[in-house]
Amino acid sequence: MLLLCGACMLAACTTGPDEPPLTTVRPDVHVEVELAPLLSFDTPRVESEPGVLLRVEVPVRAAEDVHVRYRFLFVDGADVSLALDPAWRLQQVSPALPASLEATVVSPDVAGWRLEVRSAR
């Protein structure tokens, strides 16, 4: 079932000094507050081989055409952020076509993930 992001709680996510705040829309998905009413996220699909890799795919739909940038942050078993390619990726999301935000990481230390989604403006 898709979760509509308009009824989201504010999250204590790290942002840069000029970055708008993020809101939590699912336990591991954090979205720029202004984008939250426009996006809905389905249940993430996670594949993992402990100590080898973690693959995450988060299905998303939009109420209108939206260009977003997103990144996955990966953590170890102690919930400490790993320095594994936190580069921003660009994605267009539209009402007509389903999209997925995804990443795969290979690391013996990866135990979890967090997704950040912001406007690509």
Side-chain angles (χ1 to χ4, degrees):
M1 162 188 291
L2 290 175
L3 173 65
L4 187 57
C5 300
C8 304
M9 312 175 6
L10 283 178
C13 298
T14 305
T15 60
D18 297 329
E19 297 279 12
L22 299 175
T23 187
T24 301
V25 297
R26 297 188 71 86
D28 294 311
V29 179
H30 309 280
V31 179
E32 192 173 297
V33 172
E34 292 180 7
L35 282 178
L38 302 176
L39 300 174
S40 59
F41 295 85
D42 204 348
T43 303
R45 293 185 282 272
V46 179
E47 298 176 37
S48 67
E49 294 179 35
V52 180
L53 71 81
L54 182 69
R55 177 176 297 126
V56 183
E57 181 181 351
V58 182
V60 60
R61 285 191 180 261
E64 60 187 54
D65 286 339
V66 179
H67 288 80
V68 299
R69 60 189 169 111
Y70 71 95
R71 69 179 176 180
F72 283 86
L73 302 173
F74 295 95
V75 296
D76 65 13
D79 204 34
V80 173
S81 185
L82 300 171
L84 301 171
D85 188 25
W88 291 98
R89 297 179 179 137
L90 299 175
Q91 177 82 37
Q92 179 176 351
V93 185
S94 70
L97 299 171
S100 290
L101 309 180
E102 50 192 65
T104 301
V105 65
V106 177
S107 170
D109 300 321
V110 69
W113 59 276
R114 184 174 91 210
L115 171 62
E116 293 183 353
V117 182
R118 295 187 175 278
S119 173
R121 56 186 135 92

